Amino acid sequence: MTVSNSRESPCLVVDLNLVRANYRALHAALPTARIRFAVKASPLPEIIRLLDTEGAEFDVASVGEIELCLAQGVDPAVMCYGNPIKKAGHIATAYAAGVRRFAFDTEDDLQRIAEHAPGSEVECRFLASAPQSQTPFGNKFGCAPDEAAQLLVRAHDLGLRAGGPYFHVGSQQLDPLAWQIGIEQAGAIADALVAKNIPVSVVNIGGGLPISYADAAPGVDELGAVITAAATRHLPEYTALIVEPGRALVGNTGVIHSEVVNVRQAPDGRRWIYLDIGRYNGMAETENEYIAYRFQTDRDDDPVAEAVVAGPTCDGDDVLYQRTRVLLPTTLRAGDSVRILETGAYTASYSSVSFNGFPPLTVHVTGAERE
Ligand SMILES: Cc1ncc(COP(=O)(O)O)c(C=O)c1O
């Protein structure tokens, strides 16, 4: 994909037509699942309105994201406050706005939901025994699987609607078996609840669906087949499946247009290429070099050689890649444009307000919001 643009560098150009295509492809791969967009991946009003029109639900992580969705006309009934870390006041504000679905992973949070969002439906996030993803959550979220059933029983006793179990296999998860493992564990939790006469209405299989960056990832059809087979085998027939993607809906819809600021042979003997985009103005997911983005230049027909790629700030950590093997044209020089592909997820919203005086990443939206 080559996108040319004459706008000031750096900027992110997002194509709405690709968002729609991604949504429909996922819907085709998982026709009975409810698709809940994780707003944090790309909180652009145009994307929210488009996905609302397509019939998506919305995973919101904060009062700010609730307000953003409300301002686009989204019905709060299709929002789920999916962040297990939330203050009592935030729960109350969400409830006052009409949100009636919440995720939790601790007894404390459950108590707060029962008090400030009475009668709501809750999903209990457990830590699935899935293989590690490219950008893992570690132990930050999720109770032990056997605790989830107890917490959902407790939810029922507190007057809440025990929706069902919820897991997230980690973002950019490359192994489809991760969902099979999670669904099997969710099935055991569902069975434990059904044995106590508490019906399980939903199983949320989270996000984590990968896209192809420098390395290819399994596509939605392959994932859909694994997920459908596991759900058929392990979940009660009447359970609704919820899938909660961020990256898979928006990752390949954006291209960052950047510019080479400087090229030098550093004392370490390596060629360093400094761009006007870095870790702090959009490329946050290069932390630990987790995500290996693809680069495109106007000199791609010239010979290539390895390069370290760094950002523009005076910060030592503002280096995108020094371990990942990045090959760039040997002729690349200051002023050349560099496009960074598949940068539609977790970029613009991550960019800092003014670190080193650099402004947040500008976004340009192209394509049709409505067909
Ligand atoms: C609660 C929740 N749901 C869904 C997602 C979306 O994950 P992904 O972009 O990997 O699909 C995230 C990402 O952090 C999340 O925190």
Side-chain angles (χ1 to χ4, degrees):
M1 179 174 66
T2 304
V3 181
S4 68
N5 94 327
S6 53
R7 301 172 175 112
E8 203 175 322
S9 175
C11 68
L12 168 68
V13 180
V14 172
D15 184 350
L16 295 178
N17 295 336
L18 293 174
V19 179
R20 183 183 301 102
N22 290 338
Y23 181 87
R24 291 183 182 176
L26 183 57
H27 180 58
L30 286 169
T32 59
R34 286 159 45 188
I35 301 175
R36 195 182 270 169
F37 174 54
V39 173
K40 61 178 77 71
S42 183
L44 291 173
E46 294 87 344
I47 289 183
I48 292 166
R49 290 195 295 264
L50 182 156
L51 290 174
D52 193 34
T53 306
E54 291 290 311
E57 301 183 9
F58 295 88
D59 163 57
V60 288
S62 63
V63 169
E65 287 191 350
I66 292 170
E67 286 169 351
L68 172 67
C69 289
L70 287 174
Q72 310 319 312
V74 175
D75 181 351
V78 298
M79 295 184 209
C80 176
Y81 199 149
N83 186 352
I85 320 294
K86 47 197 171 307
K87 297 177 180 177
H90 294 160
I91 296 169
T93 305
Y95 185 77
V99 177
R100 294 291 180 272
R101 290 194 187 119
F102 295 81
F104 74 99
D105 62 4
T106 58
E107 164 103 30
D108 262 15
D109 194 34
L110 183 62
Q111 296 277 2
R112 282 192 287 274
I113 296 168
E115 186 177 341
H116 299 284
S120 293
E121 181 173 289
V122 288
E123 298 168 9
C124 182
R125 183 161 172 174
F126 68 93
L127 188 57
S129 317
Q132 180 154 309
S133 71
Q134 297 297 105
T135 67
F137 289 119
N139 282 293
K140 183 168 180 188
F141 304 109
C143 62
D146 54 3
E147 204 190 337
Q150 294 162 27
L151 285 172
L152 284 164
V153 171
R154 181 89 184 107
H156 178 76
D157 294 345
L158 287 167
L160 294 162
R161 279 186 293 136
Y166 165 30
F167 64 89
H168 192 305
V169 293
S171 202
Q172 185 66 4
Q173 173 58 259
L174 295 173
D175 188 350
L177 285 182
W179 283 275
Q180 186 177 307
I181 293 165
I183 289 170
E184 184 170 356
Q185 290 181 294
I189 295 166
D191 289 346
L193 288 163
V194 172
K196 291 189 185 296
N197 281 327
I198 299 175
V200 175
S201 54
V202 295
V203 169
N204 182 343
I205 62 169
L209 288 77
I211 65 163
S212 294
Y213 290 104
D215 296 318
V220 286
D221 290 338
E222 187 183 341
L223 297 170
V226 171
I227 290 167
T228 304
T232 308
R233 179 150 182 222
H234 297 293
L235 302 182
E237 218 178 317
Y238 51 84
T239 313
L241 212 57
I242 297 173
V243 61
E244 206 171 74
R247 191 185 306 278
L249 292 182
V250 295
N252 68 350
T253 69
V255 174
I256 285 177
H257 294 251
S258 70
E259 183 181 308
V260 177
V261 179
N262 206 8
V263 179
R264 73 162 185 154
Q265 210 65 36
D268 64 1
R270 305 181 75 189
R271 180 172 62 131
W272 282 62
I273 294 177
Y274 301 84
L275 301 178
D276 60 2
I277 182 109
R279 177 80 61 77
Y280 303 104
N281 57 345
M283 304 294 288
E285 283 207 313
T286 57
E287 185 182 4
N288 298 319
E289 307 194 18
Y290 277 149
I291 298 293
Y293 292 105
R294 292 192 300 147
F295 295 94
Q296 193 180 66
T297 77
D298 296 335
R299 300 183 190 272
D300 283 351
D301 292 335
D302 293 351
V304 294
E306 273 187 46
V308 175
V309 184
T313 65
C314 275
D315 186 284
D317 282 331
D318 190 9
V319 178
L320 307 184
Y321 301 113
Q322 49 190 331
R323 296 189 305 278
T324 306
R325 192 158 180 264
V326 178
L327 295 173
L328 286 168
T330 52
T331 47
L332 212 58
R333 62 177 75 117
D336 283 354
S337 72
V338 174
R339 292 171 291 284
I340 311 175
L341 309 185
E342 290 96 27
T343 41
Y346 305 112
T347 50
S349 58
Y350 256 128
S351 63
S352 70
V353 175
S354 180
F355 185 52
N356 274 228
F358 289 90
L361 186 60
T362 311
V363 184
H364 302 284
V365 178
T366 64
E369 197 176 304
R370 277 175 187 269
E371 239 183 3

